[in-house]
Amino acid sequence: MPLDFLKRRNAAEGDPATAPSHAAPARGSHGPITVPEEVVAQEYQLKLYYAGKTSEGVRMQATPKALGELPSMLHGLAKTEIEVVEPLPIEFSQATPVIARPSEAMQWLNAHHIHSPVTRHALVVLESIDAIDLAFDTFVCTLLDGDVDTSGYPEYSAILGGVAAHWDEATGDMIVRAVVGWGGKGVRGDTDRIAAKLLAGILTNVLANQYALGLTAVDRPVPAAGRGGLVCAHCGFASAHERAFYCPKCGMRLLRG
Ligand SMILES: [Zn+2]
């Protein structure tokens, strides 16, 4: 059965007498409307400011126990619970905290909704400025300075971070960096200085760890562009990082087929 509104529309289009006119509306008795020389614009803007710092790397003795040591490197500095964010497996390889890209944003939320507001904020800041990459980094995070709002989200002047660890592709050693970040709708003059002090404090803790071997240049692995790589025979982790020699999660050697 045809729908009534469709019939009406067709009838109107077929009959010029009843079709609505597409010509400009007739001018009234007020004469032509003058176009102003200058348009009065209402201005809107939002300035987001994200910043962060990372230290040199510290090479750790190659032992699976070193991974378990990471949270202890924040003792004395953590103002909230210490959370461990593991490297993301291949199914989250497109995860990006950018809401205008729904598929990437959904992946990101699916991967990180379990974390605390402090950790999620830290991930948004540090991933946005490319200070950490969860394709290979294990990130251990806490609130280091400043406050959270009533919902538990850090204020823009709060400083977050901790340590990021990855497995060196050449040697299989774990490399640990101190990482701090902050930002949001504004910036405060003394945040940078406080962040530098916190970074030094974390690095001191890392170097004081029993497995630390000393400072090293950081050669970050290069994640693969899409196709994805290998499944770890030891822990089952499917890495998005096809050039990896060592499992981003457990640090064991990846076997190639
Ligand atoms: Zn593994």
Side-chain angles (χ1 to χ4, degrees):
M1 178 184 155
L3 297 169
D4 276 351
F5 72 89
L6 287 176
K7 273 201 300 204
R8 269 205 306 275
R9 193 172 157 205
N10 288 342
E13 274 169 21
D15 180 2
T18 57
S21 164
H22 291 288
R27 278 174 187 144
S29 54
H30 303 292
I33 298 167
T34 46
V35 178
E37 274 174 38
E38 226 177 298
V39 176
V40 179
Q42 305 274 346
E43 307 280 350
Y44 304 87
Q45 65 171 243
L46 165 66
K47 286 187 179 175
L48 278 180
Y49 179 90
Y50 291 155
K53 298 174 187 290
T54 69
S55 72
E56 286 173 276
V58 176
R59 189 174 294 279
M60 310 294 288
Q61 222 171 2
T63 157
K65 283 185 195 153
L67 254 186
E69 294 282 309
L70 296 175
S72 71
M73 296 170 186
L74 301 183
H75 285 171
L77 295 164
K79 293 185 75 177
T80 55
E81 110 187 80
I82 297 167
E83 265 193 291
V84 177
V85 183
E86 295 185 333
L88 293 181
I90 180 113
E91 62 263 36
F92 296 110
S93 59
Q94 303 297 314
T96 313
V98 177
I99 201 165
R101 301 181 180 184
S103 137
E104 287 91 333
M106 283 302 283
Q107 272 195 19
W108 194 89
L109 282 173
N110 285 335
H112 299 305
H113 69 93
I114 45 165
H115 298 304
S116 70
V118 165
T119 296
R120 263 200 311 277
H121 184 73
L123 289 171
V124 169
V125 171
L126 294 169
E127 288 188 78
S128 299
I129 61 176
D130 207 21
I132 59 169
D133 188 339
L134 293 177
F136 46 80
D137 277 325
T138 298
F139 177 50
V140 182
C141 179
T142 184
L143 178 73
L144 297 164
D145 187 71
D147 296 304
V148 295
D149 65 18
T150 48
S151 315
Y153 285 87
E155 309 278 1
Y156 70 88
S157 55
I159 300 171
L160 317 123
V163 292
H166 70 272
W167 304 92
D168 180 21
E169 294 299 277
T171 61
D173 292 343
M174 191 170 76
I175 311 285
V176 182
R177 296 170 295 143
V179 181
V180 298
W182 65 96
K185 296 178 183 179
V187 60
R188 236 176 59 176
D190 56 351
T191 307
D192 195 279
R193 184 178 52 80
I194 299 168
K197 233 162 87 179
L198 286 164
L199 191 77
I202 299 168
L203 184 62
T204 303
N205 280 5
V206 177
L207 285 166
N209 187 272
Q210 57 177 323
Y211 298 113
L213 297 173
L215 291 175
T216 181
V218 177
D219 239 347
R220 290 169 77 190
V222 183
R227 280 180 303 132
L230 300 158
V231 176
C232 176
H234 306 279
C235 72
F237 182 82
S239 174
H241 179 200
E242 67 185 357
R243 288 178 52 214
F245 287 108
Y246 294 92
C247 171
K249 190 169 174 185
C250 74
M252 300 297 280
R253 180 117 207 172
L254 288 172
L255 304 169
R256 278 151 204 281

